[in-house]
């Protein structure tokens, strides 16, 4: 029986060759491929600076550190996201606030963000759910009014566009974070990156990525370096960066195929799904549909070879966050979304025949 998962990487011989060349070179890490990957991401997104790191969770952690988030500071994010979007605030000692979502996009609702703003609020982390950008112009206006940092969690959204600009351009934010985990739109195995247009933030990110060390002036010619802050080892390897460079070349093709698949499902499944807004041209990462008896459907689908997934359990309902006083009923739209959502297979190597098989199977299961 043919089986399908909700997402999967696509690699070809150019990817294998790119990795092999690094393995045969002098630098497995701290070499030229990382810089080359960062430059390619700048060229692609239009951002001035890019810092590649070991994964998007590390990237989010660094964005909180360089934004100066600490104890007593509040940061607002969506409850419908992966854990990291909230956890990064806790890594830095800050307080996580959630804002409810819009029912039709599952993106955080700007009006709900506004309700959560207090004198302690320091930053907003909008999450571009399923690849569709949040309404960044509105979030930017709100942030300007209250003097807040914006860090886009664009883990789902490399390749996506908002009002004609690439997600990650940071036109309406301070920083944007990508993930290159194998289920995401492009992969480096594990990996992540931060883009920004601020030289100041860029320099801080570089330092925090590598133990908080600096090497300037005279020092560049000797063994000396200066540690100014407590940093980490969040570096990406050249092996991974080479894979990233090669994958990035295929992103537009991936996007085209991902959008075709979404259109096919929209036209042929007849199931309620998320809506793409006028301002968006998304490189869709997920295809969630809404199903009444979701759990029953999940197990029946598994028997038929469809290994589906639920994105996501609302973060405020995790026991860790319940210790901060969050409870069921706090974010009704996020909770209603979670009750019925399930993500169908969406990845570039799905063929027309695969889509027919999947669509037929889903319809039969729902009869
Ligand atoms: C995958 C994901 C992350 C974390 O990415 P890693 O690279 O696995 O650390 C963060 N936020 C969102 C929304 C994600 O989907």
């Amino acid at each position: 029986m043919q089986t399908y998962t909700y997402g999967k990487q696509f690699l070809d011989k150019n990817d294998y060759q790119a990795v092999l060349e690094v393995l045969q070179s002098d630098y497995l890490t701290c070499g030229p491929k990382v810089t080359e990957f960062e430059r390619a991401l700048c060229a692609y997104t239009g951002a001035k600076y890019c810092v590649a790191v070991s994964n998007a969770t590390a990237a989010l952690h660094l964005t909180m550190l360089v934004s100066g988030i600490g104890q007593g500071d509040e940061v607002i994010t969506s409850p419908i996201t992966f854990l990291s979007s909230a956890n990064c605030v806790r890594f830095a000692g800050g307080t996580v606030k959630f804002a409810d979502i819009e029912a039709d996009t599952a993106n955080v609702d700007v009006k709900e963000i506004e309700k959560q703003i207090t004198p302690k609020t320091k930053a907003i982390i909008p999450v571009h759910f399923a690849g569709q950008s949040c309404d960044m112009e509105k979030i930017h206006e709100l942030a300007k009014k209250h003097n807040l940092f914006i860090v886009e969690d664009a883990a789902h959204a490399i390749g996506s566009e908002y009002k004609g600009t690439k997600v990650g351009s940071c036109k309406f934010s301070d920083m944007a974070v990508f993930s290159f985990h194998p289920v995401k739109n492009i992969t480096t195995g594990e990996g992540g990156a931060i883009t920004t247009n601020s030289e100041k933030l860029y320099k801080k990110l570089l330092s925090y990525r590598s133990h908080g060390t600096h090497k300037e002036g005279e020092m560049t010619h000797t063994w000396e370096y200066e540690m100014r802050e407590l940093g980490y080892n969040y570096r990406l390897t050249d092996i991974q960066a080479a894979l990233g460079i090669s994958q990035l070349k295929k992103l537009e093709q991936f996007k085209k195929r991902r959008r075709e698949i979404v259109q096919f499902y929209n036209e042929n499944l007849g199931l309620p799904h998320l809506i793409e807004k006028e301002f968006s041209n998304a490189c869709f990462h997920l295809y969630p549909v809404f199903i009444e008896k979701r759990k029953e459907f999940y197990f029946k689908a598994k028997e038929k070879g469809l290994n589906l997934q639920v994105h996501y359990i609302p973060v405020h309902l995790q026991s860790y966050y319940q210790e901060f006083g969050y409870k069921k009923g706090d974010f009704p739209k996020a909770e209603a979304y979670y009750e019925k959502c399930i993500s169908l297979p969406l990845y570039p190597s799905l063929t027309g025949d695969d889509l027919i098989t999947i669509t037929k199977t889903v319809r039969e299961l729902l009869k």
Side-chain angles (χ1 to χ4, degrees):
M1 181 175 61
Q2 176 81 33
T3 63
Y4 300 96
T5 54
Y6 77 92
K8 143 166 132 184
Q9 72 273 20
F10 177 92
L11 274 79
D12 64 14
K13 63 179 192 315
N14 294 323
D15 297 310
Y16 311 145
Q17 188 57 34
V19 170
L20 193 60
E21 278 169 22
V22 174
L23 292 176
Q24 292 165 326
S25 80
D26 288 339
Y27 293 99
L28 300 187
T29 190
C30 302
K33 286 293 168 190
V34 172
T35 316
E36 192 183 324
F37 185 37
E38 290 170 341
R39 290 203 176 126
L41 286 168
C42 284
Y44 182 79
T45 59
K48 272 196 193 144
Y49 306 102
C50 176
V51 178
V53 293
S54 46
N55 56 68
T57 306
L60 286 163
H61 182 195
L62 295 186
T63 65
M64 291 297 100
L65 294 174
V66 303
S67 304
I69 303 302
Q71 206 158 12
D73 297 332
E74 295 177 356
V75 180
I76 302 168
T77 193
S78 172
I80 296 296
T81 183
F82 185 60
L83 303 169
S84 312
S85 322
N87 289 355
C88 64
V89 180
R90 295 295 307 134
F91 298 160
T95 302
V96 182
K97 301 281 286 221
F98 297 101
D100 210 352
I101 60 165
E102 306 170 329
D104 59 346
T105 64
N107 271 337
V108 67
D109 185 330
V110 185
K111 292 189 294 294
E112 297 295 327
I113 297 176
E114 190 158 21
K115 285 187 202 163
Q116 298 295 331
I117 294 175
T118 75
K120 291 182 181 166
T121 309
K122 289 282 156 57
I124 307 169
I125 307 178
V127 181
H128 304 317
F129 186 78
Q132 175 167 212
S133 174
C134 295
D135 196 345
M136 290 310 297
E137 203 158 21
K138 288 212 182 111
I139 294 174
H140 187 239
E141 271 171 36
L142 190 63
K144 256 199 335 212
K145 197 165 111 192
H146 296 273
N147 197 20
L148 309 175
F149 276 97
I150 303 175
V151 175
E152 298 172 74
D153 183 338
H156 294 185
I158 192 160
S160 296
E161 289 174 27
Y162 169 74
K163 295 194 173 175
T165 59
K166 286 266 170 10
V167 167
S169 73
C170 298
K171 188 170 175 194
F172 301 106
S173 70
D174 297 284
M175 289 170 273
V177 166
F178 294 124
S179 170
F180 308 124
H181 183 279
V183 298
K184 306 294 162 78
N185 292 347
I186 60 169
T187 189
T188 60
E190 294 278 356
I194 306 150
T195 54
T196 182
N197 292 318
S198 157
E199 189 181 6
K200 199 170 132 200
L201 291 173
Y202 170 63
K203 286 190 168 158
K204 282 193 196 172
L205 289 166
L206 285 180
S207 163
Y208 277 109
R209 175 177 69 178
S210 219
H211 313 283
T213 54
H214 297 254
K215 211 168 160 69
E216 280 163 16
E218 290 283 293
M219 287 180 200
T220 49
H221 307 292
T222 69
W223 63 88
E224 291 171 285
Y225 51 81
E226 180 191 354
M227 178 188 147
R228 295 194 196 137
E229 53 261 323
L230 189 63
Y232 298 81
N233 176 356
Y234 280 168
R235 291 187 301 264
L236 191 76
T237 66
D238 280 56
I239 307 165
Q240 294 166 308
L243 181 53
I245 295 162
S246 172
Q247 285 267 299
L248 191 56
K249 290 177 185 156
K250 291 191 268 281
L251 180 54
E252 289 305 308
Q253 258 170 276
F254 289 167
K255 176 177 179 176
K256 184 164 167 281
R257 186 63 188 146
R258 284 176 174 277
R259 290 188 65 86
E260 282 168 5
I261 295 167
V262 165
Q263 196 182 343
F264 182 91
Y265 284 151
N266 285 350
E267 287 169 3
N268 293 283
L269 272 172
L271 285 174
H273 55 80
L274 298 177
I275 300 302
E276 186 171 35
K277 298 271 178 173
E278 199 110 286
F279 56 62
S280 164
N281 176 359
C283 182
F284 288 111
H285 167 56
L286 297 173
Y287 189 80
V289 290
F290 304 103
I291 286 175
E292 294 297 330
K293 290 180 180 157
R294 194 250 322 261
K295 197 160 197 174
E296 196 185 308
F297 177 78
Y298 172 85
F299 286 112
K300 283 198 298 186
K302 217 182 208 31
E303 279 171 28
K304 298 285 179 197
L306 299 182
N307 297 310
L308 308 180
Q309 185 57 273
V310 168
H311 301 92
Y312 295 90
I313 299 168
V315 181
H316 71 283
L317 298 180
Q318 294 293 345
S319 43
Y320 175 82
Y321 285 99
Q322 303 229 309
E323 282 174 34
F324 294 87
Y326 288 111
K327 58 190 183 310
K328 215 171 167 148
D330 284 348
F331 304 99
K333 284 187 184 158
E335 291 167 28
Y337 169 85
Y338 167 65
E339 284 304 310
K340 294 180 190 169
C341 71
I342 190 157
S343 301
L344 300 188
L346 177 56
Y347 47 90
S349 59
L350 286 172
T351 64
D353 284 345
D354 290 331
L355 295 180
I356 290 165
T357 307
I358 293 164
T359 306
K360 241 170 83 182
T361 308
V362 170
R363 288 171 130 190
E364 269 163 25
L365 287 175
L366 290 173
K367 257 188 203 152

